[in-house]
Amino acid sequence: MLHCMTSEPEQQIGVGTQDAFQRLWTPHRMAYIQGENKPTGPGADDGCPFCSIPAKSDEDGLIIRRGEHVYAVLNLYPYNGGHLMVVPYRHVADYTDLTGSETAELAELTKQSMTALRTASGAHGFNIGMNQGTVAGAGIAAHLHQHIVPRWGGDTNFMPVVGHTRILPQLLADTRKMLAEAWPTV
């Protein structure tokens, strides 16, 4: 639980010298750091989370929208509030492996994601892209996924740079509900 800043630092006996810093604990990040839920290999049956998410309910899988060929899902380890991904159901690694129908629907759900994020959160801009291959930064290289990261003027602060910590103002379940309600009707 995040506590508001007070004039008196919280006393924590036995954990070092008292100082004026508040602590923001993000234990959920340890799962990502340690590789929890990472595939054990490149195949769809090697524990790929993007292959298992569609079998869950929208709420449990953090799915915002399901299409015929792709789906939109919140990122469990977001760079910003509302960070979502558009993912093909089919287990493919490379953008060039997509069919024409998959490519078209990935593009359409990306556009719809932007509209929903603007409606729900007033996003000023976006970082959109996909990392192709482990060397390019893909956390799960075996299953293609496109990131849509909403941005706001002034949203960059010292926490990610100095503290390697992201401040997210909303729980993922609440973000999923908000975006699902704001999704454009087609």
Side-chain angles (χ1 to χ4, degrees), residues 71-151:
Y71 64 96
V73 62
L74 286 178
N75 190 323
L76 267 181
Y77 308 103
Y79 295 133
N80 242 348
H83 176 178
L84 59 92
M85 298 172 292
V86 178
V87 184
Y89 291 112
R90 194 165 62 92
H91 188 85
V92 296
D94 198 86
Y95 186 68
T96 61
D97 294 334
L98 293 177
T99 67
S101 297
E102 289 168 330
T103 302
E105 193 173 58
L106 186 135
E108 185 58 35
L109 255 66
T110 298
K111 289 170 47 177
Q112 292 175 14
S113 298
M114 293 172 65
T115 299
L117 284 161
R118 281 190 182 115
T119 300
S121 66
H124 298 148
F126 300 91
N127 293 119
I128 297 174
M130 52 184 87
N131 302 320
Q132 294 283 269
T134 305
V135 298
I140 300 174
H143 198 132
L144 178 80
H145 52 286
Q146 176 158 271
H147 295 266
I148 296 99
V149 182
R151 302 301 304 265

Side-chain angles (χ1 to χ4, degrees), residues 129-185:
M130 52 184 87
N131 302 320
Q132 294 283 269
T134 305
V135 298
I140 300 174
H143 198 132
L144 178 80
H145 52 286
Q146 176 158 271
H147 295 266
I148 296 99
V149 182
R151 302 301 304 265
W152 297 268
D155 70 2
T156 304
N157 61 39
F158 70 94
M159 291 299 286
V161 176
V162 176
H164 299 285
T165 302
R166 304 207 189 275
I167 306 299
L168 302 168
Q170 190 174 47
L171 295 173
L172 289 175
D174 295 338
T175 303
R176 193 215 68 80
K177 184 176 187 290
M178 177 183 74
L179 288 173
E181 290 171 356
W183 202 268
T185 54

